[in-house]
Amino acid sequence: MKVSTWYEAVAQCQQDGAPYVIVTVISIAGSTPREAGSKMVVTDAQSIDTIGGGHLEFDAIKTAREMLSGGSRSKESASTEIRSYPLSSKLGQCCGGAVKVLFEVCNRHAQHIAIFGAGHVAKALVPILAQLPLRISWIDSREDLFSHPLPANVKMVVEEAPETEVRGLEENTWLVILTHDHQLDYRITEQALKYPALPFVGLIGSQTKAKRFITKLEHRGFNESDLARLATPIGDTSIPGKRPIEVAVSIASQIIQRLHAGEDNVEDATVTNADRFNTKEHNV
């Protein structure tokens, strides 16, 4: 669907997980091309809607894209900014008025998570994670199992062979593997561990399943560094219970810890596999 309004553009960017800037005219003085409250959305590839056109809009698009570019290089880059535009003296527009424009960078640092499986635990987990600053790809071969409507930051992916989705994941994606099939779980896990750029591979299951998978992966040639990225059984082991919602809360807790740990302390947010073998089991 081709979007033409700023609010449609926001919904589309949220669905796609694309960073964007909302540009808003927050005040006007004198004659101006658009009224206060006018908005547009700017991405790295396009602009949607208008704040009046001409040199004002051209400069606003340029500023928005500079903010997006700066955000990709530095987490300290500003996420909001207000600029004043005297239209005649600064931009050479014949209106003669002045406007103040607010720039809001959105979704710039949203962590991407790929959730494999649409069973009971996933259905309990997705609504929790969707409330966090995350971009979520929810992947299963069974379209009828997905919950509807989906939150704006959740993208449904229907794929007959879900493990094939792994190779297309962007760098630094976190995986949460919750499928109904242990063999499929293994195929996804094995694929994910082939890519060092995927730093967190969380796998649901029992301690017995975890040990069996790790032994098989070792026999396939995966080393200690590869297996350090595998968290199994996934979840915060201090949270008791085996009901889907309890397991979902446990997994969400671990994800939240990782989000807050930061890149330098990410190991602090992950219980080691050795530790997990001495804790309760999580059943699929």
Side-chain angles (χ1 to χ4, degrees), residues 24 28 30 54 59-60 71 77 90 93 102 107 122-123 127 144 163 174 184 215 232 250 258 265 268 274:
T24 307
I28 62 172
D59 191 84
S77 298
K90 185 174 181 179
Q93 292 190 208
L102 171 65
N107 214 20
K123 286 180 179 177
D144 58 310
E163 68 272 21
W174 301 348
L184 176 58
T215 298
T232 183
S250 169
R258 288 186 63 85
N265 300 308
D268 295 340

Side-chain angles (χ1 to χ4, degrees), residues 214-283:
I214 290 171
T215 298
K216 188 174 181 179
L217 289 164
E218 288 173 339
H219 289 163
R220 292 291 182 92
F222 289 94
N223 59 34
E224 185 176 345
S225 177
D226 299 325
L227 296 174
R229 294 184 286 120
L230 176 61
T232 183
I234 189 175
D236 181 344
T237 55
S238 69
I239 296 175
K242 297 183 180 181
R243 298 181 182 89
I245 186 59
E246 293 168 334
V247 178
V249 168
S250 169
I251 296 170
S253 173
Q254 186 178 20
I255 296 298
I256 291 169
Q257 290 176 55
R258 288 186 63 85
L259 285 171
H260 284 273
E263 294 179 359
D264 294 335
N265 300 308
V266 74
E267 290 82 3
D268 295 340
T270 304
V271 180
T272 67
N273 290 317
D275 291 336
R276 288 173 182 278
F277 293 152
N278 297 317
T279 61
K280 68 180 180 66
E281 297 186 359
H282 277 168
N283 294 328

Side-chain angles (χ1 to χ4, degrees), residues 203-214:
L203 171 66
I204 199 171
S206 66
Q207 297 169 17
T208 300
K209 175 184 174 181
K211 290 179 180 179
R212 186 168 65 247
F213 272 39
I214 290 171

Side-chain angles (χ1 to χ4, degrees), residues 44 63-74 77 108:
D44 60 358
T63 299
R65 288 186 175 147
E66 287 173 350
M67 293 179 72
L68 284 174
S69 176
S72 68
R73 293 192 301 268
S74 171
S77 298
R108 189 175 62 197

